[in-house]
Amino acid sequence: MKKKFNKPIIFLDFDNTLLNTVSFRGELFNFIARWGIPSDTITSTYLNKKNWEDDYSIINHLLEIEKKIKQLLPKEKIWDAVKNNYADLRRFVFPDVVPWLTQMKDDGYDLCILSYSNADFQNFKLRAAHLDQYFTHKIYTWSRGTKGATAFEYTKNSQIVFIDDDPFELNNALRTLPHAKLYQMSRYGDPPKSSHALITSLLDLQIP
């Protein structure tokens, strides 16, 4: 690894930035439906974000499904089956991710995952995607819109590059990280929803 000379710390979102979570979630929900759970119930309970308070996990999702269908589910059995079936998520990793992370790590950059959600579930996905070895730190927040403040507390006066698909996160981050380089990742051809630099691949980046 090359020696660092005041290189910026790079913070990366995980879902829909490194992992094709749209495809993964669709396949995952079909898998869960094998236990006789209606597909529309799986989807509607997931979309009801107030259920999670930023603490999504398979067990928590199944608890909400139980309330909706008024029937107990073998939650631990389903979660164990999910872990076994999705022990390897590499097929959902966007193709530019591994080459770029490898190059950045070889060049001596500090790479940090900065995600909001249930830490155990995010760590499971990160390991199953075979990406955990690239990151110096893994940081999880419990509230959407707080990643910028979290990054600031972690780095203080360090240079920062922040990459996320959520314009709400980026806009909030700008308030606490006015000198950071902020990039909005657009993996699915969505039009830009912020004034930040738009990228469709990590290979588009020019990191100093």
Side-chain angles (χ1 to χ4, degrees):
M1 180 183 293
K2 298 178 183 178
K3 187 177 180 180
K4 303 172 192 174
F5 291 97
N6 299 318
K7 290 178 183 268
I9 298 174
I10 303 175
F11 290 92
L12 294 121
D13 175 47
F14 181 65
D15 290 300
N16 300 311
T17 296
L18 306 182
L19 190 80
N20 189 333
T21 308
V22 171
S23 293
F24 168 59
R25 186 185 303 132
E27 189 176 307
L28 173 65
F29 287 2
N30 287 336
F31 182 76
I32 292 173
R34 295 180 184 181
W35 276 265
I37 306 167
S39 295
D40 59 341
T41 299
I42 296 172
T43 301
S44 63
T45 50
Y46 172 77
L47 292 176
N48 189 0
K49 296 294 186 183
K50 68 181 182 181
N51 289 337
W52 316 125
E53 296 182 354
D54 304 325
D55 189 23
Y56 180 84
S57 69
I58 299 298
I59 295 293
N60 287 344
H61 193 172
L62 293 172
L63 284 168
E64 294 304 320
I65 291 171
E66 285 182 336
K67 295 176 188 176
K68 185 80 176 283
I69 65 176
K70 296 180 172 54
Q71 174 185 332
L72 292 177
L73 295 167
K75 295 183 290 296
E76 292 295 340
K77 181 179 179 180
I78 295 173
W79 173 223
D80 286 342
V82 167
K83 287 186 288 187
N84 289 333
N85 196 65
Y86 294 103
D88 190 341
L89 292 177
R90 283 177 290 185
R91 67 187 183 278
F92 296 107
V93 176
F94 290 107
D96 56 294
V97 169
V98 170
W100 187 83
L101 291 177
T102 300
Q103 185 62 59
M104 291 297 102
K105 187 173 181 180
D106 287 348
D107 286 348
Y109 288 91
D110 275 335
L111 301 170
C112 300
I113 279 288
L114 182 54
S115 178
Y116 86 90
S117 196
N118 178 282
D120 289 339
F121 188 53
Q122 292 300 88
N123 277 324
F124 160 71
K125 291 188 293 182
L126 190 66
R127 289 191 299 269
H130 291 230
L131 298 179
D132 56 324
Q133 70 269 23
Y134 294 102
F135 294 96
T136 310
H137 295 282
K138 305 168 189 72
I139 306 169
Y140 302 104
T141 69
W142 289 95
S143 180
R144 183 173 176 238
T146 62
K147 289 183 182 178
T150 302
F152 176 77
E153 286 300 316
Y154 176 73
T155 59
K156 298 302 183 184
N157 295 321
S158 300
Q159 299 178 67
I160 292 173
V161 173
F162 180 29
I163 306 162
D164 203 295
D165 70 303
D166 186 351
F168 181 72
E169 288 286 1
L170 293 167
N171 291 335
N172 279 358
L174 188 60
R175 300 170 189 164
T176 49
L177 304 170
H179 303 297
K181 294 185 180 298
L182 307 178
Y183 297 91
Q184 182 184 345
M185 177 61 80
S186 177
R187 289 294 192 181
Y188 309 110
D190 299 327
K193 296 179 180 178
S194 71
S195 59
H196 309 293
L198 187 73
I199 58 173
T200 59
S201 166
L202 292 170
L203 301 177
D204 294 340
L205 289 170
Q206 297 292 326
I207 305 294

